[in-house]
Amino acid sequence: MPGCLRSRGVLFLAAMACALGLAPRHCAAQNEPAFSTVSGVVKDSQTGQPIERALVDAQNDAVLTDSEGRFELRLEDGVASIQVRRPGYGVNRRASMRTFRVSANMKPLTFYLVPAASITGRVTVTNGGDADNVTFTAYRRRTMNGHERWMQAGAATTNGEGVFRIFELEAPGVYVLCSRATEERLGRRGKAVSGYPSVCYPASPGDGAANVLNLGVGQQADVDIPIARQPFYQVNMVEQNSPPGQGMQIGIHDQSGMPVSFGVRSNLDRQTAEAALPNGSYFAEARGYGNTVSYARADFKVYNAPVSGVSLTLLPLAPVVVVVRKEFTVSPDPGAVVESRVANDMSSGLNLQLIPMDSMDGGGGQPLRRSPGADSSHFEIMNVIPGRYWVQASYYLGGYVSAMSSGGVDLMKDPLVVGPGSTTEPIEITLRNDAGEIDFTLNTPPVGEQSAGGDADELGGTAVYAIPTGTRGPNLPGARGFPGRPGQLPNIAPGSYRVVALDTFQNLDAMDAQDLAKLADKGISVNVVAGGTVNVQLDVIKTSVEGQSP
């Protein structure tokens, strides 16, 4: 508040000085920013009808649309962003947020919101009773950097009638529903004696493309899910190799990787733990925290009887070694200013991530660090939990990742397997700097033809992407382009690509593989050679109304 008062005081004194002729006449114009009116309309992407009471938010000003979907804002001249939201419509989509330059006499803007999908589930207990307080999570299948993963998209808990509803789901999309094992009745000392097992509908993630829910734009899906009440059985676990007094965390997951919904009771002094579970296949994970991080996993089944002797043998998490080799054949640009320390550091400009394949949560370790006592080419990733990982590597300091392997496994195509103890072969990465480039020119669209989102030139240009026809890297090369002006996609690794120009920016890395292939088919084929330049002339592809495949 004091800062605001001071600012207002300064503006007041400046205005008085101008009024009394004690300062140049143009001083008021210098101190007071210029504002312009930004107007437009918000429409439904499927029907084209205006959307009433949509929130149009420009941070410094926000309004609700009127009965005809129209809005008007008063914004300071310069770059601004507007995001539009409305219950029942998808969020974080490319047509619901736009960046543009505010100026006088702007053309009206048009936003298209995509009707979100929803799921109503009815849970029936096949052996009698009510299924209340059971939590279901919707998982959506997404493509991340060329690899498919199941990502949490929403959750809801059943009411007293066994009904749950999950709203605001992005569409079109591929989903599965999974519940967490739930306690229904507690016995003496609070131990569970009955409840419901974890179930997935139509099937567990990864059980096949046919066993999924395909939700279309605006679709309201109704599903019936049967579950059966089951007795819970005692599971006793023994912790091995755990130093006395060391911090310990134990979790239990079903075989799809989802955690059960109730905790584990541990006795650190006795190094034991216990839990109550219904019939099913599980695995227990233990993590020990002390001077070093240790880890253990044990798989077990519960089948109509208590389980004892589940052994968790803790082993230290050995670092995953990363060896970086530079095969640079092109002399650095003499005009580029690069510190010698950065130029000689193998990790400078290298981004490396381990993406879990089989887990719904993390486990990819810590950021890359220099191996103690090793030369400048050896690095390591600490605290990586055993499992399978996609390795994502990119190099942005004037080069690219040309090869990546571990023990003869090509990590550009296949996953890294991290075993317990020190059994993981080093990740070997080769960097090269003989990248090529793609120079492009965009054809000017016919007069009067507009994109689905409005005026591309006002929004910062057209989106140009190079989609690899072979193995994908961590990101798809992209750049902004403007009709009638030359543009460039620099630092392109040698290989074959399909180049496309779109009238709206899109997150192609998260696009379904089939939709990405359809988009690539509309592009122009090019072959980039080491150090070479390819010239292409592109028509701007008019993407369909937001929410539909291009």
Side-chain angles (χ1 to χ4, degrees):
M1 191 67 176
C4 294
L5 292 174
R6 284 196 297 270
S7 298
R8 291 176 180 175
V10 170
L11 290 174
F12 175 78
L13 291 175
M16 288 296 296
C18 289
L20 295 174
L22 301 178
R25 292 187 178 181
H26 63 269
C27 63
Q30 292 177 340
N31 291 327
E32 296 180 5
F35 286 80
S36 297
T37 299
V38 178
S39 62
V41 63
V42 180
K43 297 182 178 181
D44 186 300
S45 68
Q46 301 303 293
T47 65
Q49 295 299 309
I51 300 176
E52 183 181 4
R53 297 188 64 78
L55 175 62
V56 183
D57 186 1
Q59 296 184 343
N60 292 328
D61 193 10
V63 295
L64 294 174
T65 56
D66 62 17
S67 60
E68 297 181 347
R70 299 192 178 280
F71 66 90
E72 188 172 286
L73 299 168
R74 188 74 173 166
L75 301 180
E76 184 178 347
D77 286 2
V79 176
S81 294
I82 289 180
Q83 184 171 12
V84 182
R85 298 186 296 273
R86 178 72 161 83
Y89 291 86
V91 296
N92 297 327
R93 302 300 295 264
R94 62 184 182 272
S96 63
M97 185 170 183
R98 295 168 61 185
T99 300
F100 53 91
R101 185 173 296 280
V102 177
S103 60
N105 303 317
M106 284 185 61
K107 297 179 181 178
L109 301 174
T110 302
F111 289 87
Y112 290 93
L113 295 186
V114 187
S118 66
I119 299 174
T120 298
R122 296 176 179 83
V123 180
T124 304
V125 182
T126 57
N127 51 359
D130 296 325
D132 60 335
N133 202 36
V134 179
T135 298
F136 278 83
T137 300
Y139 291 91
R140 186 186 184 197
R141 189 172 66 196
R142 301 297 300 267
T143 299
M144 294 183 62
N145 303 326
H147 305 300
E148 288 186 345
R149 290 197 70 197
W150 289 95
M151 308 291 290
Q152 183 172 330
T157 301
T158 57
N159 59 21
E161 299 178 347
V163 176
F164 67 91
R165 293 181 175 87
I166 303 177
F167 300 98
E168 309 296 340
L169 296 175
E170 287 190 55
V174 175
Y175 293 86
V176 295
L177 293 169
C178 292
S179 69
R180 289 187 174 186
T182 304
E183 301 167 341
E184 182 195 46
R185 185 164 61 87
L186 300 178
R188 289 180 301 172
R189 294 184 297 173
K191 294 183 179 180
V193 295
S194 65
Y196 304 109
S198 174
V199 297
C200 289
Y201 180 91
S204 295
D207 275 0
N211 297 315
V212 294
L213 284 171
N214 289 286
L215 297 183
V217 173
Q219 180 178 350
Q220 316 298 310
D222 292 297
V223 299
D224 293 310
I225 304 175
I227 63 174
R229 180 189 296 105
Q230 292 187 9
F232 277 44
Y233 300 97
Q234 193 75 10
V235 177
N236 294 310
M237 294 162 279
V238 179
E239 303 160 7
Q240 307 286 348
N241 296 351
S242 176
Q246 175 176 277
M248 178 73 63
Q249 180 181 358
I250 298 177
I252 297 178
H253 304 250
D254 63 25
Q255 288 299 318
S256 66
M258 290 181 296
V260 298
S261 62
F262 34 86
V264 177
R265 295 171 288 275
S266 297
N267 188 318
L268 294 178
D269 294 331
R270 296 182 179 180
Q271 296 186 345
T272 60
E274 62 181 23
L277 297 169
N279 285 342
S281 296
Y282 303 92
F283 65 87
E285 284 186 321
R287 304 188 194 191
Y289 301 94
N291 295 329
T292 60
V293 178
S294 53
Y295 175 85
R297 169 172 168 156
D299 292 79
F300 62 93
K301 292 183 178 180
V302 177
Y303 184 70
N304 294 338
V307 178
S308 60
V310 177
S311 180
L312 293 166
T313 303
L314 289 161
L315 294 175
L317 290 178
V320 175
V321 176
V322 180
V323 180
V324 182
R325 180 172 60 252
K326 287 184 176 180
E327 293 183 352
F328 283 7
T329 58
V330 179
S331 299
D333 182 356
V337 179
V338 181
E339 296 182 20
S340 60
R341 178 184 60 82
V342 173
N344 294 326
D345 187 345
M346 289 288 188
S347 69
S348 294
L350 179 63
N351 180 34
L352 187 67
Q353 289 182 296
L354 301 184
I355 311 298
M357 280 186 63
D358 307 311
S359 174
M360 297 292 188
D361 53 16
Q366 297 176 341
L368 198 67
R369 74 171 194 178
R370 179 74 58 81
S371 297
D375 61 34
S376 62
S377 65
H378 284 66
F379 304 87
E380 61 187 20
I381 306 174
M382 302 295 293
N383 301 333
V384 181
I385 294 172
R388 298 187 303 166
Y389 296 87
W390 294 117
V391 182
Q392 301 291 342
S394 59
Y395 184 70
Y396 55 85
L397 197 62
Y400 61 94
V401 176
S402 65
M404 185 168 57
S405 64
S406 173
V409 176
D410 184 358
L411 299 180
M412 305 284 273
K413 299 186 299 182
D414 300 312
L416 170 73
V417 178
V418 177
S422 303
T423 60
T424 306
E425 295 289 337
I427 299 174
E428 298 182 0
I429 296 176
T430 301
L431 306 176
R432 296 182 62 86
N433 69 341
D434 59 350
E437 65 183 45
I438 299 174
D439 292 347
F440 60 84
T441 302
L442 302 180
N443 295 325
T444 302
V447 176
E449 183 174 310
Q450 292 185 337
S451 69
D455 303 299
D457 195 57
E458 288 184 4
L459 299 178
T462 295
V464 180
Y465 297 98
I467 305 174
T469 58
T471 303
R472 285 186 54 185
N475 294 291
L476 293 173
R480 295 179 184 270
F482 297 88
R485 309 181 200 172
Q488 184 184 87
L489 287 162
N491 200 37
I492 305 296
S496 298
Y497 297 85
R498 302 278 291 192
V499 186
V500 296
L502 310 178
D503 62 352
T504 56
F505 285 86
Q506 305 178 33
N507 183 9
L508 298 191
D509 284 329
M511 183 176 285
D512 181 88
Q514 294 182 349
D515 287 341
L516 186 63
K518 293 178 183 177
L519 181 62
D521 288 342
K522 299 180 181 180
I524 295 179
S525 296
V526 299
N527 185 49
V528 179
V529 300
T533 300
V534 178
N535 293 280
V536 294
Q537 192 156 351
L538 304 170
D539 289 324
V540 177
I541 299 173
K542 182 178 180 180
T543 57
S544 56
V545 173
E546 169 68 16
Q548 301 177 6
S549 299

